[in-house]
Amino acid sequence: MTRKLIPGRLVIASHNEGKVREITALLGPYGVAPVSAGALGLPEPEETGTTFAQNAALKALASATASGLPALADDSGLEVAALGGRPGVYTADWAERQWFEGEKGRDWYMAMGKVEGLLCEIGPDVDRSAAFVCTLCLAWPDGETALFEGRAEGSLVWPPRGTMGFGYDPVFLPHGAELTFAEMAPEAKHAISHRAEAFNKLVAALF
Ligand code: IMP
């Protein structure tokens, strides 16, 4: 039987503001008091895994052991069918750019443009199907972990549309929807997103 999560403090093992905002909203009704790894000054481990599950586990374990509290990590990304599933676990890396010497930043418009450029190279009839994937890992300070996965299927639009959400939301049109994730109100995204699907599985198992 899966170990249960006792209401109390929980570290969100992420330094990504968009993810912290969404996970905090999803945790709202469950009596846990989330605090982000960034707010606690916990170090951000290097994501050396080659799967979402490996990276989620290494981030959750790093925060749980450093803080002595249960920690929840999210590793997620965009899988584009015509690109053989890329960028996948490297989704955040595709947005990395050197702004000036020594300083790194993330440029989501550059990253979305990179994906679009590769699709254009394939040709005008390219399959534009894509999926957002999310693996959540809950780690306890004693090293026990539990993993949950979610997926949102859709297609990529160009040019980007909308200003809500984060990351690649402006180019992702979920199946059956007319609005991109960045055009939807947060509650509408939470009803169908990869993160919400993984989160619902976590709630069913741990609360
Ligand atoms: P990582 O999990 O921190 O390696 O980063 C995953 C990256 O995938 C994020 O930085 C976003 O760019 C992208 N991503 C994951 N989930 C979403 C989402 O819900 N909307 C838009 N982009 C996302």
Side-chain angles (χ1 to χ4, degrees):
M1 201 180 96
T2 317
R3 181 172 173 181
K4 301 289 174 195
L5 187 61
I6 299 159
R9 285 185 94 201
L10 173 75
V11 180
I12 302 178
S14 177
H15 289 71
N16 176 326
E17 266 181 51
K19 283 187 189 177
V20 171
R21 197 170 50 238
E22 288 195 2
I23 294 170
T24 303
L26 289 164
L27 282 168
Y30 297 100
V32 291
V35 54
S36 73
L40 289 179
L42 302 178
E44 197 173 2
E46 223 185 304
E47 297 185 23
T48 50
T50 54
T51 63
F52 293 114
Q54 285 170 356
N55 283 335
L58 72 84
K59 287 187 278 191
L61 282 167
S63 281
T65 46
S67 68
L69 293 167
L72 178 62
D74 164 312
D75 202 65
S76 45
L78 183 70
E79 292 185 346
V80 182
L83 304 183
R86 287 187 299 156
V89 287
Y90 305 107
T91 300
D93 298 342
W94 282 31
E96 216 129 89
R97 108 187 276 168
Q98 211 76 32
W99 292 99
F100 52 88
E101 214 176 318
E103 185 97 355
K104 269 189 179 175
R106 286 188 173 152
D107 180 341
W108 301 110
Y109 276 81
M110 178 192 74
M112 291 186 277
K114 205 185 276 186
V115 171
E116 182 61 23
L118 291 169
L119 290 180
C120 286
E121 275 175 25
I122 296 171
D125 297 325
V126 66
D127 173 10
R128 302 187 65 87
S129 309
F132 269 129
V133 181
C134 171
T135 300
L136 292 175
C137 180
L138 194 284
W140 282 266
D142 61 10
E144 187 174 333
T145 56
L147 288 164
F148 306 93
E149 288 182 0
R151 212 177 153 83
E153 301 287 344
S155 60
L156 298 177
V157 298
W158 195 261
R161 291 171 13 200
T163 54
M164 287 182 273
F166 66 99
Y168 295 66
D169 277 344
V171 290
F172 187 78
L173 186 68
H175 273 168
E178 288 180 3
L179 301 178
T180 67
F181 267 173
E183 292 174 309
M184 292 180 183
E187 308 77 58
K189 178 180 174 186
H190 294 164
I192 55 173
S193 81
H194 49 310
R195 187 160 296 104
E197 191 189 41
F199 193 80
N200 290 340
K201 292 181 184 172
L202 176 147
V203 166
L206 299 186
F207 286 101

PDB file of all heavy atoms in Angstrom, residues 91 106 124 128 136 161 203:
ATOM      1  N   THR A  91      13.345  19.930 -22.986  1.00  0.00           N
ATOM      2  CA  THR A  91      12.453  21.039 -23.331  1.00  0.00           C
ATOM      3  C   THR A  91      12.931  22.378 -22.759  1.00  0.00           C
ATOM      4  O   THR A  91      12.920  23.391 -23.449  1.00  0.00           O
ATOM      5  CB  THR A  91      11.018  20.727 -22.848  1.00  0.00           C
ATOM      6  OG1 THR A  91      10.588  19.533 -23.512  1.00  0.00           O
ATOM      7  CG2 THR A  91      10.052  21.832 -23.190  1.00  0.00           C
ATOM      8  N   ARG A 106      16.376  32.095 -19.926  1.00  0.00           N
ATOM      9  CA  ARG A 106      15.539  31.258 -20.775  1.00  0.00           C
ATOM     10  C   ARG A 106      14.661  32.137 -21.655  1.00  0.00           C
ATOM     11  O   ARG A 106      14.064  33.098 -21.183  1.00  0.00           O
ATOM     12  CB  ARG A 106      14.698  30.320 -19.936  1.00  0.00           C
ATOM     13  CG  ARG A 106      15.608  29.212 -19.393  1.00  0.00           C
ATOM     14  CD  ARG A 106      14.860  28.129 -18.717  1.00  0.00           C
ATOM     15  NE  ARG A 106      15.817  27.063 -18.392  1.00  0.00           N
ATOM     16  CZ  ARG A 106      15.680  26.237 -17.377  1.00  0.00           C
ATOM     17  NH1 ARG A 106      14.629  26.337 -16.593  1.00  0.00           N
ATOM     18  NH2 ARG A 106      16.567  25.297 -17.159  1.00  0.00           N
ATOM     19  N   PRO A 124       5.506  21.602 -45.613  1.00  0.00           N
ATOM     20  CA  PRO A 124       4.220  22.215 -45.282  1.00  0.00           C
ATOM     21  C   PRO A 124       3.171  21.228 -44.769  1.00  0.00           C
ATOM     22  O   PRO A 124       2.249  21.623 -44.062  1.00  0.00           O
ATOM     23  CB  PRO A 124       3.759  22.836 -46.607  1.00  0.00           C
ATOM     24  CG  PRO A 124       4.582  22.193 -47.670  1.00  0.00           C
ATOM     25  CD  PRO A 124       5.843  21.719 -47.044  1.00  0.00           C
ATOM     26  N   ARG A 128       1.689  18.017 -37.110  1.00  0.00           N
ATOM     27  CA  ARG A 128       1.939  19.002 -36.057  1.00  0.00           C
ATOM     28  C   ARG A 128       1.509  18.489 -34.672  1.00  0.00           C
ATOM     29  O   ARG A 128       1.406  19.252 -33.716  1.00  0.00           O
ATOM     30  CB  ARG A 128       1.230  20.329 -36.392  1.00  0.00           C
ATOM     31  CG  ARG A 128       1.669  20.903 -37.743  1.00  0.00           C
ATOM     32  CD  ARG A 128       1.099  22.277 -37.995  1.00  0.00           C
ATOM     33  NE  ARG A 128       1.610  23.257 -37.062  1.00  0.00           N
ATOM     34  CZ  ARG A 128       2.739  23.967 -37.209  1.00  0.00           C
ATOM     35  NH1 ARG A 128       3.487  23.812 -38.288  1.00  0.00           N
ATOM     36  NH2 ARG A 128       3.122  24.829 -36.298  1.00  0.00           N
ATOM     37  N   LEU A 136       5.346  13.584 -11.879  1.00  0.00           N
ATOM     38  CA  LEU A 136       5.492  14.144 -10.533  1.00  0.00           C
ATOM     39  C   LEU A 136       6.157  13.099  -9.656  1.00  0.00           C
ATOM     40  O   LEU A 136       5.832  11.905  -9.748  1.00  0.00           O
ATOM     41  CB  LEU A 136       4.120  14.474  -9.934  1.00  0.00           C
ATOM     42  CG  LEU A 136       3.329  15.615 -10.578  1.00  0.00           C
ATOM     43  CD1 LEU A 136       1.940  15.719  -9.941  1.00  0.00           C
ATOM     44  CD2 LEU A 136       4.063  16.943 -10.439  1.00  0.00           C
ATOM     45  N   ARG A 161       0.013  32.135 -29.490  1.00  0.00           N
ATOM     46  CA  ARG A 161      -1.223  32.849 -29.133  1.00  0.00           C
ATOM     47  C   ARG A 161      -1.437  32.844 -27.625  1.00  0.00           C
ATOM     48  O   ARG A 161      -1.411  31.790 -27.009  1.00  0.00           O
ATOM     49  CB  ARG A 161      -2.427  32.148 -29.783  1.00  0.00           C
ATOM     50  CG  ARG A 161      -2.435  32.307 -31.282  1.00  0.00           C
ATOM     51  CD  ARG A 161      -3.472  31.467 -32.017  1.00  0.00           C
ATOM     52  NE  ARG A 161      -4.517  30.845 -31.252  1.00  0.00           N
ATOM     53  CZ  ARG A 161      -5.230  29.801 -31.710  1.00  0.00           C
ATOM     54  NH1 ARG A 161      -4.984  29.272 -32.907  1.00  0.00           N
ATOM     55  NH2 ARG A 161      -6.183  29.287 -30.972  1.00  0.00           N
ATOM     56  N   VAL A 203      -3.115  12.577  -5.920  1.00  0.00           N
ATOM     57  CA  VAL A 203      -4.127  12.788  -4.880  1.00  0.00           C
ATOM     58  C   VAL A 203      -4.818  11.468  -4.529  1.00  0.00           C
ATOM     59  O   VAL A 203      -5.010  11.126  -3.369  1.00  0.00           O
ATOM     60  CB  VAL A 203      -5.154  13.853  -5.345  1.00  0.00           C
ATOM     61  CG1 VAL A 203      -6.393  13.843  -4.466  1.00  0.00           C
ATOM     62  CG2 VAL A 203      -4.504  15.230  -5.329  1.00  0.00           C
TER      63      VAL A 203
END
